Amino acid sequence: MPFQMRPDQILNEVKTFNEKLAQGMTNLMEVGEISSGVTPFEVIYTEDKLKLLHYTGNAEPTNKVPMLIVYALVNRPYMTDIQENRSTIKGLLDAGQDVYLIDWGYPDASDRYLTIDDYLNGYLDNCVDEIRARHQVDAINLLGICQGGAFSLCYSSMHPEKVKNLVTMVTPVDYHTPDNMLSHWVQNVDIDQLVDTIGNIPGEMLNWTFLNLKPYQLMGQKYLGMVDVMGDSQTLKNFMRMEKWIFDSPDQAGETFRQFIKDFFQQNKLLKGEVQIGDYTVDLKNVTMPVLNVFAEQDHLVPPDASRALKGAVGSSDYTELSFKGGHIGIYVSGKAQKTIPPAIGEWLTTRS
């Protein structure tokens, strides 16, 4: 049956849409400043552009082994603390964890030649040592997110004596699964020519790439649907928080980007045990501490099979998987995730600390 709509229905639809848009524009003008994270913290260590944050909860942590969150270099870590009732950070604090997080900052031209070795055996290792000294412990808990999870795996392989327990979230391990669209896209890109030509990789370029993985949903449908939420000022503010985060994309240090794309995405060296970082060859069999691997079942950036590959790769005899029925971002910001993921991580860590 052909699509039919009477003229009066069309006029009414247009009228309703315009009324929503007019009210929404008023709310948009009054939305005010959009915060970048909501949980109180103190900066306890700085190095170049890096800041090490220590979050404070409403009660003393019950787990005496501190946790360090290692976020990806892409986008900003306040995704984990986006608003009061949707904060992985707050959930971990409520679960008794003592939470630290690395804010990598915004690389500029002076960071063009920073390597993965600089990030992991320099910055990350210094942060781990700072926390170890602060708490007088030999090893800490690591929680790595996405690319930060891959970095945490590498670090745990190189420095297993400094990591008591490892949690990976939406972390790619096998970059060559058939459903990894991002990996398929990048296989034939000349990364050397790209980095040699422009140096640091602009955050806008990467953001455009991620959005084009689901262009209709992320660039069309979303903004049409925005009109329906603009009438509620609080819902609109929540929408704008997400928009701020999505487009707050730091540039990527050229040499780090070169190695990460070539070694991890194009050649799948992490799974093969062939990644060379400084003086170390990364062998995931060296990851012998307890491992909790958390992945999202509808993740379009890191397909579940890309994360599940960790089970057969690590050397740990204490390996646990936790799946979430949602997407790459929903695992941090959905109401369902808040009730399940941070408490589960907290319980898993506390029983092993």
Side-chain angles (χ1 to χ4, degrees):
M1 180 177 179
F3 176 78
Q4 292 182 346
M5 199 170 185
R6 299 195 313 269
D8 60 312
Q9 290 177 315
I10 296 173
L11 288 173
N12 187 60
E13 188 76 19
V14 172
K15 178 176 178 291
T16 302
F17 182 87
N18 286 335
E19 288 173 350
K20 289 181 179 179
L21 188 60
Q23 177 60 48
M25 290 304 295
T26 300
N27 289 339
L28 191 61
M29 295 293 289
E30 298 172 352
V31 75
E33 183 179 357
I34 303 297
S35 61
S36 300
V38 294
T39 304
F41 64 83
E42 61 174 334
V43 178
I44 65 153
Y45 174 78
T46 62
E47 183 178 357
D48 297 332
K49 297 177 178 64
L50 175 149
K51 295 178 182 178
L52 178 59
L53 315 183
H54 183 214
Y55 288 90
T56 53
N58 296 322
E60 286 294 315
T62 55
N63 188 348
K64 300 305 179 184
V65 179
M67 166 200 285
L68 174 60
I69 297 177
V70 183
Y71 200 77
L73 299 175
V74 181
N75 291 118
R76 301 284 292 137
Y78 57 83
M79 167 52 63
T80 60
D81 191 37
I82 198 76
Q83 64 189 70
E84 287 81 357
N85 61 339
R86 296 173 188 262
S87 169
T88 299
I89 297 289
K90 183 179 183 301
L92 292 169
L93 291 170
D94 291 345
Q97 306 308 303
D98 198 349
V99 182
Y100 293 79
L101 178 144
I102 295 177
D103 182 340
W104 299 109
Y106 295 86
D108 60 25
S110 66
D111 302 305
R112 159 75 169 81
Y113 294 100
L114 284 178
T115 63
I116 294 179
D117 184 37
D118 293 321
Y119 276 106
L120 301 192
N121 293 314
Y123 294 137
L124 176 54
D125 194 43
N126 291 342
C127 289
V128 170
D129 286 348
E130 180 72 21
I131 298 171
R132 291 169 62 229
R134 184 181 174 97
H135 289 262
Q136 297 183 329
V137 295
D138 293 328
I140 69 170
N141 295 327
L142 274 190
L143 191 162
I145 294 175
C146 193
Q147 181 193 39
F151 284 169
S152 296
L153 282 167
C154 294
Y155 182 84
S156 298
S157 170
M158 295 185 289
H159 305 283
E161 74 283 357
K162 296 183 181 183
V163 182
K164 187 169 183 63
N165 300 290
L166 173 63
V167 181
T168 55
M169 293 187 71
V170 292
T171 294
V173 179
D174 182 355
Y175 291 76
H176 286 180
T177 57
D179 53 353
N180 194 327
M181 188 185 303
L182 191 59
S183 180
H184 285 305
W185 278 14
V186 81
Q187 289 306 311
N188 297 314
V189 175
D190 189 335
I191 300 299
D192 287 329
Q193 183 176 12
L194 178 64
V195 175
D196 290 345
T197 301
I198 66 176
N200 287 349
I201 305 304
E204 292 85 353
M205 178 187 295
L206 296 180
N207 198 48
W208 179 88
T209 302
F210 297 141
L211 291 174
N212 272 278
L213 290 172
K214 299 174 76 172
Y216 174 70
Q217 182 177 342
L218 298 180
M219 293 191 290
Q221 185 181 33
K222 179 176 70 171
Y223 294 114
L224 285 174
M226 177 186 175
V227 176
D228 291 326
V229 305
M230 289 174 71
D232 183 288
S233 58
Q234 188 57 52
T235 305
L236 177 61
K237 194 162 188 175
N238 294 343
F239 181 93
M240 295 305 295
R241 282 194 183 100
M242 287 299 302
E243 288 297 283
K244 176 179 178 179
W245 176 80
I246 288 170
F247 292 99
D248 190 359
S249 304
D251 295 345
Q252 302 295 295
E255 292 308 311
T256 292
F257 184 83
R258 186 200 304 268
Q259 183 180 4
F260 190 72
I261 297 301
K262 292 178 68 175
D263 285 3
F264 290 71
F265 274 97
Q266 292 184 337
Q267 300 177 41
N268 212 18
K269 286 186 176 182
L270 180 62
L271 191 62
K272 297 175 182 177
E274 298 174 356
V275 174
Q276 189 72 30
I277 300 177
D279 296 330
Y280 299 87
T281 300
V282 175
D283 183 353
L284 293 181
K285 294 299 180 184
N286 292 336
V287 179
T288 54
M289 69 290 299
V291 176
L292 172 62
N293 187 21
V294 186
F295 57 87
E297 295 178 12
Q298 282 84 49
D299 195 332
H300 71 290
L301 289 174
V302 181
D305 284 347
S307 288
R308 288 194 188 102
L310 185 60
K311 182 177 182 179
V314 294
S316 176
S317 59
D318 184 354
Y319 174 87
T320 307
E321 285 184 351
L322 176 61
S323 66
F324 170 71
K325 292 184 179 180
H328 192 79
I329 304 303
I331 200 170
Y332 306 108
V333 303
S334 74
K336 180 174 60 176
Q338 299 307 310
K339 297 175 183 177
T340 57
I341 301 301
I345 293 174
E347 181 181 0
W348 185 89
L349 285 173
T350 298
T351 58
R352 288 161 175 78
S353 297

